[in-house]
Amino acid sequence: QVQLVQSGAEVKKPGSSVKVSCKASGGTFSSYTLNWVRQAPGQGLEWMGKIVPLLGAGNYAQKYQGRVTITADKSTSTAYMELTSLRPEDTAVYYCTRVANGANYFDYWGQGSQVTVSS
Amino acid sequence: SYVLTQPPSVSVAPGQTARIPCEGNNIESKSVHWYQQKAGQAPVLVVYDDIVRPSGIPERISGSNSGNTATLTISRVEAGDEADYFCQVWNSRSDLNYVFGTGTKVTVL
């Protein structure tokens, strides 16, 4: 059974950065794909990017290119999502999710991390 | 990019059947996955690869996919089924690898 445990809520100023963590347990961390999905208040789900820890490089939706960096630390089975140049519209719940090897759906989700951007 | 359209809301009486459509161009050529999200909680996968239920998901929940519409069906609706439901596909032809539907709020009357 895979568990994804995320870091807590953050309040940030516009223009600053936030780094959210996601610690995985169960399964083989290096082999599956970890993704980040966000949900603005009252809105739908939006995929931001992914990383395969075994390969190391992140892959991002064009909308977030240049602002988001996804990394993974295999020694601690933890993935990170850093978003820079924050704007009020980045206020959202950020979820880490897993895609199993060979699949294209999200079978495990973290509990979500609230990020609020406000002056 | 590929667009998935869902009705904003569906209302259903307890014991009846709720059908949630997800429309996309030639969606039958893709595998469709569905998530249930209850208020204040993370989404939960309820159907994958059009018709498969993960372990622990009741048989009352089923999926289908044909033409330009995939459908999530909830039979014998219970109060606990009240939630938002999102469809999702993998889009290999775009940088936006994973596309979600707009979401449907199911209200149990």
Side-chain angles (χ1 to χ4, degrees):
Chain A
Q1 183 81 349
V2 172
Q3 272 199 311
L4 302 173
V5 179
Q6 300 182 221
S7 50
E10 303 255 19
V11 179
K12 294 292 183 179
K13 299 285 189 189
S16 67
S17 301
V18 68
K19 192 169 186 177
V20 183
S21 68
C22 170
K23 184 170 177 60
S25 59
T28 305
F29 179 74
S30 293
S31 66
Y32 50 74
T33 304
L34 276 167
N35 298 257
W36 289 89
V37 172
R38 83 175 191 180
Q39 186 172 37
Q43 302 299 307
L45 302 168
E46 183 181 26
W47 180 77
M48 300 177 68
K50 65 184 181 185
I51 189 167
V52 180
L54 184 66
L55 303 179
N59 177 247
Y60 311 116
Q62 187 173 17
K63 175 179 178 179
Y64 298 100
Q65 288 276 0
R67 279 213 305 146
V68 70
T69 303
I70 298 173
T71 56
D73 182 342
K74 288 182 284 187
S75 68
T76 60
S77 298
T78 302
Y80 300 90
M81 186 282 299
E82 183 174 25
L83 189 62
T84 62
S85 302
L86 289 169
R87 312 153 184 164
E89 52 267 37
D90 291 318
T91 294
V93 177
Y94 290 77
Y95 294 101
C96 69
T97 78
R98 186 193 87 146
V99 171
N101 206 18
N104 54 30
Y105 51 87
F106 307 105
D107 56 356
Y108 292 97
W109 295 67
Q111 84 275 22
S113 298
Q114 174 70 51
V115 175
T116 303
V117 183
S118 173
S119 54
Chain B
S1 61
Y2 194 76
V3 176
L4 295 173
T5 303
Q6 299 178 237
S9 62
V10 166
S11 297
V12 58
Q16 298 304 302
T17 298
R19 293 180 179 85
I20 305 163
C22 171
E23 296 185 351
N25 184 39
N26 195 29
I27 198 172
E28 69 177 359
S29 66
K30 300 180 182 295
S31 293
V32 180
H33 320 296
W34 292 89
Y35 304 87
Q36 175 194 68
Q37 185 180 34
K38 296 184 178 180
Q41 298 182 20
V44 172
L45 179 71
V46 293
V47 167
Y48 65 94
D49 292 346
D50 296 337
I51 61 171
V52 184
R53 280 185 306 276
S55 174
I57 301 302
E59 292 183 8
R60 302 185 297 107
I61 294 178
S62 62
S64 62
N65 188 6
S66 178
N68 292 317
T69 305
T71 303
L72 183 72
T73 301
I74 308 172
S75 304
R76 302 181 299 283
V77 165
E78 303 171 355
D81 297 325
E82 187 161 290
D84 294 322
Y85 292 82
F86 297 90
C87 56
Q88 175 253 313
V89 301
W90 158 259
N91 186 19
S92 60
R93 298 187 178 189
S94 166
D95 72 288
L96 193 63
N97 289 175
Y98 299 93
V99 178
F100 289 96
T102 48
T104 298
K105 169 71 176 180
V106 169
T107 299
V108 181
L109 301 171

